[in-house]
Amino acid sequence: MRYYFERPIYQCALLMLIVFIIDLIIPLGVAVGVLYVCCIALLIREKVKVTLMFSIVATLLTVAIPVITFDENTTWMAFVNRGISVLAVWMIYFIVVKHRILDHKMRVYTTKLEIKNKELEQFNYVASHDLQEPLNTIRSFSMLLNQQYGGVIDKKADKYLLFINRASVRMSELVKALLDYGRIGHNMNLEKVDCNVLVNEVKTDIDSLISKSNAQLYVNKLPKVKGYETELRLLFQNLISNAIKFQNKDTTPIIKIGASLETDQWIFFVKDNGIGIDQVHRERIFAIFQRLHSTCEYEGTGIGLAHCRKIVDLHGGRIWLDSQVDKGSTFYFNIPA
Ligand code: ADP
């Protein structure tokens, strides 16, 4: 019995019956239309055929009352009221049908998108995972060659072996970065994250980089946000490491980190006094494997900021920067408060 009353079709049928009985005892006039509209609105998730059937029944019930109760006291106004009620019923019918069509289209798009996304993730995983295997073979054999024949053939051969080794190490790093990129967004738990604790942990993790560069970090009081802890830690780590890394040789990195509340968003910033970024590259640097310098100048794979953008996207935010060449950069990102 409970099952029936939980279903919108039965709820709608029962309510319509009640409205009809009340209307029969005390003619409700134009109000009857409003009540039938409320009943039909319950069917928003049902099939179009069901909504159509109930709209026809509502129309018949609305029109039936003045016909059944017709006498010399019935005025033409009663029929006008019924006409308005019928109009209201059919208006809600078309609204419900339109909603159903849009809802259906959205479901189809979402399913297609989910399938494509899964395919892409799988492709990324298979490509990067399977590439590791032949790469490891190249690396280990070039190392073996180096150990056993280093200095035996000639200097040129040694140089070529070194190039092979370096290239395979680099490719291995790129493939690993690609795998990590694909993993972002898996097995995540949304939780309250204290960004002060997070940044302190990052400082500990990159302690050797900080002391090697004599970097000075000034961290304002940061908020607690609802987010994905591991991903947020990676976000801060990438931005802080970049701020330390992309510096002229003779400057001491000075990094400022803070956040401000603007309406319903926390806007975080990571500011440095580094080499800066030209205006033309401001979008490009967030794409995967895009770098503005060679690995000889500054080490890296070019995936850090792509990670950052993916993480901020996952939190429903945006990442952007403000920068001037040789004057430093400020990276901003927002997270809903
Ligand atoms: P990676 O650090 O591995 O090179 P990223 O994706 O983190 O890759 O950064 C992409 C590029 O953006 C970098 O190669 C660098 O040219 C530029 N960049 C990133 N952060 C900074 C920064 N704080 N100052 C100047 N340039 C930066």
Side-chain angles (χ1 to χ4, degrees):
M1 196 70 175
R2 223 181 110 210
Y3 165 78
Y4 288 112
F5 285 107
E6 273 169 7
R7 294 199 56 192
I9 292 184
Y10 294 104
Q11 289 171 353
C12 180
L14 180 70
L15 283 175
M16 275 172 66
L17 183 70
I18 295 171
V19 172
F20 178 71
I21 294 169
I22 296 173
D23 197 21
L24 196 63
I25 301 166
I26 334 154
L28 290 167
V30 82
V32 78
V34 179
L35 295 172
Y36 283 134
V37 161
C38 295
C39 299
I40 291 166
L42 284 172
L43 305 170
I44 199 134
R45 298 234 164 267
E46 297 300 319
K47 287 188 181 136
V48 173
K49 255 199 307 197
V50 173
T51 317
L52 178 66
M53 200 184 78
F54 275 90
S55 301
I56 292 171
V57 173
T59 305
L60 293 176
L61 295 181
T62 309
V63 177
I65 297 295
V67 176
I68 298 169
T69 60
F70 188 82
D71 58 22
E72 70 275 6
N73 296 326
T74 310
T75 61
W76 60 271
M77 203 46 204
F79 287 97
V80 173
N81 284 346
R82 297 285 144 171
I84 295 170
S85 300
V86 169
L87 197 72
V89 166
W90 287 98
M91 269 166 70
I92 191 73
Y93 167 74
F94 284 111
I95 292 170
V96 169
V97 169
K98 190 135 195 216
H99 173 272
R100 287 284 312 160
I101 294 169
L102 288 178
D103 195 43
H104 177 72
K105 273 191 187 163
M106 223 162 82
R107 272 169 212 245
V108 172
Y109 285 139
T110 315
T111 317
K112 275 190 190 165
L113 221 87
E114 275 170 2
I115 293 171
K116 283 268 168 271
N117 213 10
K118 277 218 171 85
E119 277 173 10
L120 257 166
E121 271 177 16
Q122 218 158 10
F123 171 78
N124 179 16
Y125 179 77
V126 171
S128 34
H129 189 262
D130 291 4
L131 276 174
Q132 291 279 14
E133 194 59 35
L135 260 174
N136 286 341
T137 315
I138 297 174
R139 261 175 70 184
S140 26
F141 277 98
S142 71
M143 267 162 67
L144 273 176
L145 264 174
N146 208 7
Q147 276 167 14
Q148 292 183 15
Y149 298 97
V152 173
I153 310 173
D154 60 12
K155 278 210 167 119
K156 250 191 192 169
D158 289 350
K159 214 161 107 186
Y160 294 160
L161 270 176
L162 192 72
F163 285 161
I164 294 175
N165 196 261
R166 270 197 200 149
S168 53
V169 169
R170 176 138 185 82
M171 189 153 172
S172 182
E173 280 170 6
L174 292 177
V175 166
K176 193 183 161 294
L178 211 59
L179 257 177
D180 291 343
Y181 184 79
R183 278 198 196 113
I184 289 179
H186 282 229
N187 312 321
M188 296 191 311
N189 289 325
L190 201 62
E191 51 195 310
K192 202 102 188 142
V193 183
D194 187 341
C195 296
N196 302 290
V197 177
L198 214 66
V199 172
N200 273 335
E201 284 172 2
V202 171
K203 274 163 73 179
T204 316
D205 291 346
I206 58 167
D207 188 46
S208 64
L209 182 68
I210 296 175
S211 19
K212 216 166 85 185
S213 58
N214 285 323
Q216 294 169 21
L217 263 76
Y218 300 97
V219 187
N220 297 347
K221 189 164 168 31
L222 298 173
K224 287 183 184 159
V225 293
K226 211 156 188 206
Y228 307 107
E229 192 181 342
T230 317
E231 278 70 19
L232 284 176
R233 184 180 296 118
L234 184 64
L235 171 67
F236 278 111
Q237 184 170 323
N238 284 343
L239 292 179
I240 298 170
S241 316
N242 277 355
I244 298 175
K245 184 166 66 168
F246 293 103
Q247 292 279 342
N248 285 315
K249 291 223 160 52
D250 44 0
T251 35
T252 305
I254 299 174
I255 293 131
K256 291 176 183 158
I257 301 163
S260 60
L261 184 65
E262 275 178 34
T263 48
D264 54 348
Q265 305 278 328
W266 278 107
I267 305 206
F268 289 83
F269 68 84
V270 177
K271 181 177 165 61
D272 66 52
N273 59 335
I275 56 172
I277 299 165
D278 198 321
Q279 176 100 24
V280 289
H281 302 304
R282 280 178 199 187
E283 269 307 307
R284 185 161 87 87
I285 52 167
F286 292 104
I288 213 161
F289 295 147
Q290 292 295 323
R291 309 199 70 229
L292 305 180
H293 308 92
S294 69
T295 36
C296 311
E297 287 175 282
Y298 298 100
E299 271 185 16
T301 53
I303 206 151
L305 288 180
H307 275 167
C308 293
R309 183 152 76 178
K310 192 168 173 188
I311 294 166
V312 175
D313 280 353
L314 279 175
H315 286 84
R318 193 170 75 83
I319 184 164
W320 70 100
L321 78 142
D322 191 8
S323 180
Q324 259 186 303
V325 175
D326 288 331
K327 296 236 166 90
S329 314
T330 309
F331 282 82
Y332 298 95
F333 63 89
N334 64 328
I335 288 190

